[in-house]
Amino acid sequence: MRTFMRAVLVATLCLPAACAAPRQDARQQGRAYTDWFYQRNFEPLWNRFSPEMKQTFPTPESLASFAGRTVKQLGRERGSPLEQLIQQDTLTVYSRQATFERSAHPMLLQWTLTRDGMVTGFLLRPADQ
């Protein structure tokens, strides 16, 4: 679990011409990507990764190898998550703070999205208390 607590997935930059997510779609996209992540449905999630993200995870299998262990360690999400959308420069960050059945700490999950819903960054770490 200690290794997991230090695990932070990469946040990369996007190309400026393809950035800026509309608020109404970013929440839906963040929720969909989170569902795919929780359900270990990594191929469609990987297909939404930017070229920079695909440098970190070159195949859906490489994403599954890393993220699948994380999802298993956390267990199911419990309760109602706290969601937030933040516009940062030309990107939208979907943040989700949630508790899990096998984690002693609330976790923060973030997706950084472009206008067309490409994932340019992903973060999962213990939430600040």
Side-chain angles (χ1 to χ4, degrees):
M1 189 69 171
R2 189 170 288 245
T3 301
F4 167 73
M5 297 306 252
R6 289 188 218 145
V8 175
L9 297 177
V10 205
T12 60
L13 300 176
C14 80
L15 301 172
C19 298
R23 286 191 166 271
Q24 68 275 15
D25 294 330
R27 186 177 312 274
Q28 293 169 339
Q29 290 166 341
R31 287 176 177 169
Y33 300 162
T34 300
D35 286 343
W36 289 343
F37 180 77
Y38 289 167
Q39 295 168 11
R40 300 181 192 160
N41 194 4
F42 296 117
E43 188 161 348
L45 180 57
W46 183 86
N47 286 333
R48 299 304 300 154
F49 277 13
S50 68
E52 295 84 3
M53 288 292 292
K54 288 180 179 176
Q55 288 177 4
T56 302
F57 298 104
T59 65
E61 293 77 22
S62 64
L63 175 61
S65 175
F66 177 79
R69 289 188 307 266
T70 302
V71 172
K72 186 175 181 178
Q73 287 177 341
L74 286 173
R76 293 183 180 264
E77 189 177 279
R78 296 184 313 188
S80 298
L82 300 174
E83 295 176 295
Q84 184 177 22
L85 290 176
I86 301 170
Q87 191 73 36
Q88 291 185 337
D89 298 321
T90 58
L91 298 172
T92 298
V93 178
Y94 168 84
S95 296
R96 181 183 189 98
Q97 184 173 323
T99 58
F100 293 85
E101 64 185 1
R102 291 194 287 268
S103 176
H105 305 282
M107 300 298 292
L108 176 66
L109 175 105
Q110 291 182 326
W111 300 103
T112 304
L113 308 171
T114 65
R115 176 188 319 257
D116 62 355
M118 295 299 292
V119 176
T120 63
F122 175 64
L123 171 79
L124 178 63
R125 65 169 175 78
D128 295 331
Q129 296 295 329

